[in-house]
Amino acid sequence: MSTSLFSPQSIPRLEIPTDALLVEGGAPISGTVRISGAKNAVLPMMAAAILAPGVSSIHNVPALRDVSTMALVLQALGIPSDRHDEILTIDTGNCRSLRAPYELVKTMRASIYVLGPLLALHGRAEVSLPGGCAWGPRPVDIHLKGMEALGARVELDGGYIVAEATRLRGAEIELPFPSVVAAGNHLMAAVLAEGTTALVNAAREPEIGALAEFLIAMGARISGAGSSRIEIEGVTSLAPTEFEVIPDRIEAGTYLIAGAMAGGAVRVVDCRPDHLEALLACLRAMEVPCGIGEDWIEVEGGERPAPLAVKTAPFPGLATDLQAQLMALAVRARGTSSLRETVYPDRFKHVSELVRLGARIQVENGTALIEGVEELSGAPVMASDLRASAALVLAGLVARGTTRVGRVYHIDRGYSGIEQKLAGLGARIRRVRE
Ligand code: EPU
């Protein structure tokens, strides 16, 4: 019997984990949720450990797929690491390869963080070009121009960035956009360069401040991190260190929005309220009651919020990484909200899935107009990236019936135990495997 080319037997199976989250909407949530360490602070610190051969420890490291992927990138360089009780130990004493392979970099763009440290300490780095991402192109030209400005020869060979320098030398570098990962790479390259480097228009995100603190603990001389001008005086060597990661402001923001949507009173603890001011301003504008302590924030939800008009922007502006979740809140506002995305104008993959749940959203020229509806109704939806998936879970909390969020492996990149944390607040949520 002949088989058609398009028969089910001949369709290749994709090796993608098929976990989904089932969310039963309508259960009010309340209580306390502890915030884990920041993914986007841990990843550059793991790369920075390369700069100081020996054993460094990073505390408060969450169990995340991106952390495991970065551990695999380090392993590909010959660097073992081990995570136990939220402490990650990295032994960079015997770095045997200078190549971050395509197979890993294509799954996590932040792998490019090894470029600066490998180049600075070992004089050479080969890092696969990351390629596009779920919401469009994400160039790395700023990273490459920066390495060149510090004296490296950079070329592309077979899909790899190949950068070389005997010793980098300090320079004044003005970044055309305050890219977070580019700032991290510049910092890690400049700490061992000869002379002084000034980064102008540098990212001010708290994760860059935390990376600078980590490097300072290793013996680097850095001033101005957290402002848009960072100065680095190169040193000849760095020593391994022990460091605690800052709390994840995006995870905290996600649970605050969950509370605003489905609370009850929800308190996020072990967070940094000063890292969340832009989100708090949005919640207040939406008339969500907020209380703030030294390391906690509490919101009171349940009512349909007032509509919001806001745009994302580099820190201290509203994080693009909270845009999708905030949209899930705006979907039930008492009027029409507008969310303008200025960091990634195409980061709206969640819109069509929110519409499947009954949202009314139109996107034009990087702005989403969200006409608030009274009710959402549960449906199967598909996660397309990390923050979009979180937004769909949040919408599921308030949708009538069951929402099934597929491709949960995206969420596992950046939310540690999201179903346990939400269930701890009383949400009806569980993971299913097909
Ligand atoms: N850009 C360039 N050229 C470059 C680099 C960036 O034009 O060489 C532009 C991008 O096109 C974009 C903007 O600069 O318009 C910022 O993008 P970039 O890709 O540099 O962001 P990133 O620094 O690589 C970090 C976070 C992202 C977060 C963005 C924006 C990490 C590991 N990643 O990425 O986090 O969205 O900053 O705040 O820190 C996430 O955690 O879900 C996530 C995507």
Coordinates of all heavy atoms in Angstrom, one line a residue, residues 233-267:
E233 N 37.5 51.4 35.3 CA 38.9 51.5 35.3 C 39.5 50.1 35.2 O 39.2 49.3 36.2 CB 39.4 52.2 36.5 CG 40.8 52.9 36.4 CD 41.2 53.5 37.7 OE1 40.4 54.2 38.3 OE2 42.3 53.1 38.1
G234 N 40.1 49.7 34.1 CA 40.5 48.3 34.0 C 41.5 47.9 35.0 O 42.3 48.7 35.5
V235 N 41.4 46.6 35.5 CA 42.4 46.0 36.4 C 43.0 44.8 35.7 O 42.5 44.4 34.6 CB 41.7 45.6 37.7 CG1 41.2 46.8 38.5 CG2 40.6 44.6 37.4
T236 N 44.1 44.3 36.2 CA 44.8 43.2 35.5 C 44.2 41.8 35.8 O 44.3 40.9 35.1 CB 46.3 43.2 35.8 OG1 46.5 43.3 37.2 CG2 47.0 44.3 35.1
S237 N 43.6 41.7 37.0 CA 43.0 40.4 37.3 C 41.9 40.6 38.3 O 41.8 41.6 39.0 CB 44.0 39.4 37.9 OG 44.5 39.9 39.1
L238 N 41.0 39.6 38.4 CA 39.8 39.6 39.3 C 39.9 38.3 40.1 O 40.5 37.3 39.6 CB 38.5 39.7 38.5 CG 38.3 41.0 37.7 CD1 37.1 40.9 36.8 CD2 38.1 42.1 38.7
A239 N 39.2 38.3 41.2 CA 39.2 37.1 42.1 C 37.8 36.5 42.2 O 36.8 37.3 42.2 CB 39.8 37.5 43.5
P240 N 37.6 35.2 42.3 CA 36.3 34.6 42.5 C 35.6 35.2 43.7 O 36.3 35.7 44.7 CB 36.6 33.1 42.7 CG 38.0 32.9 42.2 CD 38.7 34.2 42.4
T241 N 34.3 35.2 43.7 CA 33.6 35.8 44.8 C 32.3 35.0 45.1 O 32.0 34.0 44.5 CB 33.3 37.3 44.5 OG1 32.8 37.9 45.7 CG2 32.2 37.4 43.4
E242 N 31.6 35.5 46.1 CA 30.3 35.0 46.6 C 29.3 36.1 46.6 O 29.6 37.2 47.1 CB 30.4 34.4 48.0 CG 29.5 33.3 48.3 CD 30.0 32.5 49.5 OE1 31.2 32.2 49.6 OE2 29.2 32.3 50.4
F243 N 28.1 35.9 46.0 CA 27.2 37.1 45.8 C 25.8 36.6 45.9 O 25.4 35.5 45.4 CB 27.5 37.7 44.5 CG 27.1 39.1 44.4 CD1 27.9 40.1 44.9 CD2 25.9 39.4 43.7 CE1 27.5 41.4 44.8 CE2 25.5 40.8 43.6 CZ 26.3 41.8 44.2
E244 N 24.9 37.5 46.3 CA 23.4 37.2 46.4 C 22.7 38.0 45.3 O 22.9 39.2 45.1 CB 22.9 37.6 47.8 CG 21.4 37.5 47.8 CD 20.8 36.9 49.1 OE1 21.6 36.4 49.9 OE2 19.6 36.9 49.2
V245 N 21.9 37.3 44.5 CA 21.1 37.9 43.4 C 20.0 38.7 43.9 O 19.3 38.3 44.9 CB 20.6 36.7 42.5 CG1 19.7 37.3 41.4 CG2 21.7 36.0 41.9
I246 N 19.7 39.8 43.3 CA 18.5 40.7 43.6 C 17.2 39.9 43.2 O 17.2 39.0 42.4 CB 18.6 42.0 42.9 CG1 18.7 41.8 41.3 CG2 19.7 42.9 43.4 CD1 18.5 43.1 40.5
P247 N 16.1 40.3 43.9 CA 14.8 39.7 43.5 C 14.4 40.0 42.1 O 14.7 41.1 41.6 CB 13.8 40.3 44.5 CG 14.6 41.1 45.5 CD 16.0 41.4 44.9
D248 N 13.6 39.2 41.6 CA 13.1 39.3 40.2 C 11.9 40.3 40.1 O 10.8 40.0 40.5 CB 12.7 37.9 39.6 CG 12.6 37.9 38.1 OD1 11.9 38.8 37.6 OD2 13.2 37.0 37.5
R249 N 12.2 41.5 39.5 CA 11.1 42.5 39.5 C 10.0 42.1 38.5 O 8.9 42.5 38.7 CB 11.7 43.9 39.2 CG 12.3 44.0 37.9 CD 13.3 45.2 37.7 NE 14.1 45.0 36.5 CZ 13.8 45.6 35.4 NH1 12.8 46.4 35.2 NH2 14.6 45.4 34.3
I250 N 10.4 41.3 37.5 CA 9.3 41.0 36.5 C 8.4 39.9 37.1 O 7.2 39.9 37.0 CB 9.9 40.5 35.2 CG1 10.9 41.5 34.7 CG2 8.9 40.2 34.2 CD1 10.3 42.9 34.4
E251 N 9.0 38.9 37.9 CA 8.2 37.9 38.6 C 7.3 38.6 39.6 O 6.1 38.4 39.7 CB 9.1 36.9 39.3 CG 8.3 35.7 39.8 CD 9.0 34.9 40.8 OE1 9.8 35.4 41.6 OE2 8.6 33.7 41.0
A252 N 7.9 39.6 40.4 CA 7.1 40.3 41.4 C 5.9 41.0 40.7 O 4.8 41.0 41.1 CB 8.0 41.3 42.1
G253 N 6.2 41.7 39.6 CA 5.2 42.5 38.8 C 4.1 41.6 38.3 O 2.9 41.9 38.4
T254 N 4.5 40.4 37.9 CA 3.5 39.4 37.4 C 2.5 39.0 38.5 O 1.3 39.0 38.3 CB 4.2 38.2 36.8 OG1 5.1 38.7 35.8 CG2 3.2 37.2 36.2
Y255 N 3.0 38.7 39.7 CA 2.1 38.3 40.8 C 1.3 39.5 41.3 O 0.2 39.3 41.7 CB 2.9 37.6 41.9 CG 3.4 36.3 41.5 CD1 4.7 36.0 41.3 CD2 2.5 35.2 41.2 CE1 5.1 34.7 40.9 CE2 2.9 34.0 40.8 CZ 4.2 33.7 40.6 OH 4.6 32.5 40.2
L256 N 1.9 40.7 41.2 CA 1.1 41.9 41.6 C -0.1 42.0 40.6 O -1.2 42.3 41.0 CB 1.9 43.1 41.6 CG 2.9 43.2 42.8 CD1 3.9 44.4 42.6 CD2 2.2 43.3 44.1
I257 N 0.2 41.8 39.4 CA -0.9 42.0 38.4 C -1.9 40.9 38.6 O -3.2 41.1 38.5 CB -0.3 42.0 36.9 CG1 0.5 43.3 36.8 CG2 -1.4 41.9 35.9 CD1 1.3 43.3 35.5
A258 N -1.4 39.7 38.9 CA -2.4 38.5 39.2 C -3.3 38.9 40.3 O -4.5 38.7 40.3 CB -1.6 37.3 39.6
G259 N -2.8 39.6 41.4 CA -3.6 40.0 42.5 C -4.6 41.1 42.1 O -5.7 41.0 42.5
A260 N -4.1 42.0 41.3 CA -5.0 43.1 40.8 C -6.1 42.5 40.0 O -7.2 43.0 40.0 CB -4.2 44.1 40.0
M261 N -5.9 41.4 39.3 CA -6.9 40.8 38.5 C -7.9 39.9 39.3 O -9.1 39.9 39.1 CB -6.3 40.0 37.3 CG -5.6 40.8 36.3 SD -4.7 39.8 35.1 CE -6.0 39.1 34.2
A262 N -7.3 39.0 40.1 CA -8.1 38.0 40.7 C -8.1 38.0 42.3 O -8.6 37.1 42.9 CB -7.5 36.6 40.3
G263 N -7.5 39.1 42.9 CA -7.5 39.2 44.3 C -8.9 39.5 44.8 O -9.7 39.9 44.0
G264 N -9.1 39.5 46.0 CA -8.3 39.4 47.3 C -7.1 40.3 47.4 O -6.7 41.0 46.5
A265 N -6.6 40.2 48.6 CA -5.3 40.9 48.9 C -4.2 39.9 48.6 O -4.1 38.8 49.1 CB -5.3 41.3 50.4
V266 N -3.3 40.3 47.8 CA -2.1 39.5 47.4 C -0.8 40.3 47.8 O -0.7 41.5 47.4 CB -2.1 39.1 46.0 CG1 -0.7 38.5 45.6 CG2 -3.2 38.2 45.6
R267 N 0.0 39.7 48.6 CA 1.2 40.4 49.1 C 2.4 39.7 48.5 O 2.6 38.5 48.6 CB 1.3 40.4 50.6 CG 2.6 41.1 51.1 CD 2.6 41.2 52.6 NE 1.6 42.1 53.1 CZ 1.9 42.8 54.3 NH1 3.0 42.7 54.9 NH2 0.9 43.7 54.7

